[in-house]
Amino acid sequence: MKIYTRSGDEGQTSLIYGRRVGKDSLRVTAYGTVDEANSTIGVAVAHISSDPQFADVVRFSERVQRDLFDVGRDLATPEDKRDGFYINQADVDLLERMIDTLDAETPPLKQFVLPGGHPAAAAFHLARTVVRRAERCIVALEKQDTVQPMIRKYLNRLSDLLFIMARVVNTRTAVAEPGVDFHAAKPNPFTE
């Protein structure tokens, strides 16, 4: 099987079952953004995959990455070709259990968290923002087309999980979690 097909050279791509749409369609933008989020989670995992203290985070991340393929399949399957959905309430419930499990070990929030700290934490924060963008794409798509109703809920919960994963990485590695106190004076980078 060849990697290149040349079928997209004119700015169109195929949904599952072969229906051609523009690469700039909201549906393609939505599942492309989900794919971007999936790749960004992969970057985060690459930073911690060999560290045994993160075996649970890696395992949770790998499940999420498989789920994101299902989100993409739900988005890329034309409505008249669907015989069911791949993402369901049980997947959302599982995300909530992951959040609760990991959040139990993070210190209480006392300020707004700035993305950063350990490289994996920064990558999980980046993945979180890409998931939020995917969620906005889904909301826009819903205004013109039918979207699997559980996807928006799943992505909303996933962004929460990625936030907690970033915090857990910083906590377990004892890397200071960057934060901002809106009541404190802004630091001067030339004097501090």
Side-chain angles (χ1 to χ4, degrees):
M1 178 175 148
K2 287 191 175 190
I3 295 297
Y4 60 90
T5 63
R6 298 186 178 113
S7 64
D9 291 352
E10 301 302 317
Q12 294 219 327
T13 190
S14 294
L15 298 179
I16 295 175
Y17 297 102
R19 184 170 299 148
R20 302 290 289 170
V21 297
K23 289 185 177 185
D24 62 346
S25 76
L26 287 177
R27 188 165 294 280
V28 174
T29 299
Y31 71 69
T33 307
V34 168
D35 186 38
E36 185 181 346
N38 201 341
S39 297
T40 310
I41 292 169
V43 171
V45 170
H47 287 289
I48 58 173
S49 62
S50 62
D51 188 336
Q53 74 173 321
F54 294 114
D56 57 342
V57 175
V58 170
R59 192 173 61 253
F60 291 171
S61 297
E62 288 170 349
R63 169 57 194 262
V64 164
Q65 288 185 286
R66 286 192 299 273
D67 284 351
L68 288 176
F69 272 108
D70 287 340
V71 169
R73 282 198 303 179
D74 282 342
L75 288 169
T77 304
E79 185 176 1
D80 61 331
K81 300 291 186 181
R82 290 187 196 127
D83 59 358
F85 294 114
Y86 297 101
I87 291 295
N88 57 48
Q89 184 63 48
D91 298 312
V92 175
D93 294 343
L94 180 60
L95 290 180
E96 290 177 357
R97 288 195 309 275
M98 291 176 190
I99 291 167
D100 292 342
T101 297
L102 294 175
D103 191 35
E105 68 180 85
T106 61
L109 284 170
K110 296 182 180 175
Q111 59 186 357
F112 287 94
V113 174
L114 291 174
H118 187 279
F124 278 125
H125 277 298
L126 180 58
R128 173 185 56 79
T129 65
V130 176
V131 167
R132 287 288 190 203
R133 181 161 33 93
E135 190 179 2
R136 292 190 300 273
C137 291
I138 299 301
V139 170
L141 177 59
E142 287 174 323
K143 292 178 181 173
Q144 73 175 39
D145 206 350
T146 305
V147 177
Q148 205 280 61
M150 201 56 60
I151 289 176
R152 186 172 10 94
K153 194 173 185 180
Y154 181 89
L155 293 176
N156 187 276
R157 220 61 93 249
L158 177 56
S159 65
D160 295 335
L161 174 63
L162 294 169
F163 175 79
I164 294 301
M165 285 179 165
R167 295 198 72 218
V168 163
V169 169
N170 283 333
T171 299
R172 289 183 188 175
T173 57
V175 173
E177 187 169 65
V180 60
D181 178 353
F182 288 112
H183 302 291
K186 293 180 186 176
N188 182 334
F190 294 103
T191 60
E192 296 182 16

